């Protein structure tokens, strides 16, 4: 029997992505109501993912899933972090600002982090998983695919930026892919959901 899982986003792209990750489960995914906005007031990815999942579950009376993600740069003490989306108004503005902040810093180490959380209809967090992808910030963008900070995030093991990867490759190495890979066995073993 399929069960309804409300995705705490109004972004159809995110819904499709989550549908792909959860394709072999018995959840039927649906977008949250447009008018239901949850402000990301947490100061960690986990806090924001849990807040969004919990609020959407309570408001809709259904199970809900949410993720929160962003880029943490080691030499900038984890900035932009939970402010990754709010670091500029366009992707190119966000990239320019980050490259300016880093300047000629030699330590270019960084990581993308994603936390995904599932809440039961009463708002309690039932499952939570984190994925991390380590990489380096280039001095200039490389590649045309993806979105956000993808053109400046280089993964040494693949010798490619996220923007140079096929969607399948990015899915397998990315923070979001790793978070769902960690969530799926928890979901399979859960007696609650
Ligand atoms: P959110 O998880 O949808 O709130 O996204 C946070 C922000 O982090 C996005 O707007 C992007 O700027 C950045 N971000 C998260 N994941 C990625 C990614 O896979 N590639 C590039 N940027 C990302």
């Amino acid at each position: 029997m399929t069960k309804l899982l409300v995705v705490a986003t109004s972004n159809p792209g995110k819904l499709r992505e989550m549908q792909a990750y959860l394709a072999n489960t018995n959840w039927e995914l649906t977008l949250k109501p447009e008018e239901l906005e949850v402000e990301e007031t947490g100061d960690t990815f986990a806090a924001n993912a849990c807040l969004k999942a919990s609020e959407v579950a309570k408001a809709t009376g259904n199970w809900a899933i949410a993720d929160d993600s962003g880029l943490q740069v080691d030499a900038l003490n984890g900035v932009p972090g939970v402010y990754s989306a709010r670091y500029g108004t366009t992707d190119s503005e966000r990239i320019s600002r980050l490259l300016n902040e880093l300047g000629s810093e030699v330590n270019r180490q960084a990581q993308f982090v994603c936390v995904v959380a599932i809440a039961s209809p009463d708002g309690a967090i039932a499952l939570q998983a984190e994925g991390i992808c380590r990489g380096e910030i280039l001095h200039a963008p490389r590649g045309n695919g993806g979105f956000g900070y993808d053109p400046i995030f280089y993964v040494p093991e693949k010798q490619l930026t996220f923007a140079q990867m096929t969607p399948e490759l990015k899915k397998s190495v990315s923070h979001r892919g790793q978070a769902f890979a960690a969530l799926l066995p928890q979901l399979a073993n859960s007696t609650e959901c």
Side-chain angles (χ1 to χ4, degrees):
M1 202 186 72
T2 58
K3 290 200 287 180
L4 200 63
L5 185 60
V6 183
V7 181
T9 181
S10 332
N11 180 346
K14 204 167 238 183
L15 173 70
R16 277 195 297 277
E17 199 176 314
M18 288 201 187
Q19 261 160 346
Y21 285 124
L22 299 173
N24 297 319
T25 67
N26 55 1
W27 291 102
E28 185 191 330
L29 273 63
T30 179
L31 282 177
K32 74 164 175 65
E34 189 93 45
E35 64 280 4
L36 175 59
E37 292 287 350
V38 184
E39 224 190 312
E40 297 184 4
T41 52
D43 54 13
T44 62
F45 298 113
N48 282 331
C50 291
L51 182 70
K52 288 187 279 184
S54 184
E55 291 300 311
V56 170
K58 281 189 285 185
T60 62
N62 285 298
W63 287 82
I65 185 168
D67 75 349
D68 196 44
S69 60
L71 179 64
Q72 295 181 316
V73 179
D74 293 5
L76 301 178
N77 298 316
V79 166
V82 291
Y83 300 103
S84 294
R86 292 165 270 179
Y87 203 53
T89 49
T90 62
D91 282 343
S92 69
E93 212 177 280
R94 287 184 269 270
I95 287 178
S96 302
R97 180 170 174 196
L98 186 62
L99 293 181
N100 279 336
E101 294 283 338
L102 261 183
S104 54
E105 169 65 53
V106 288
N107 176 9
R108 316 292 293 190
Q109 300 293 312
Q111 62 186 20
F112 267 117
V113 181
C114 175
V115 174
V116 53
I118 293 183
S120 55
D122 64 358
I125 298 300
L127 297 178
Q128 191 181 319
E130 181 184 67
I132 292 179
C133 180
R134 295 285 302 170
E136 293 165 13
I137 304 298
L138 296 180
H139 289 269
R142 202 181 289 171
N144 301 311
F147 72 101
Y149 300 89
D150 281 355
I152 53 167
F153 188 77
Y154 179 79
V155 180
E157 298 91 273
K158 302 294 175 193
Q159 299 194 10
L160 294 170
T161 65
F162 268 1
Q164 292 175 305
M165 294 183 186
T166 61
E168 292 68 34
L169 181 60
K170 183 182 167 188
K171 219 172 115 184
S172 71
V173 299
S174 79
H175 48 311
R176 209 165 286 105
Q178 313 256 15
F180 276 90
L183 185 79
L184 284 174
Q186 287 190 49
L187 206 49
N189 291 330
S190 170
T191 50
E192 206 191 347
C193 48

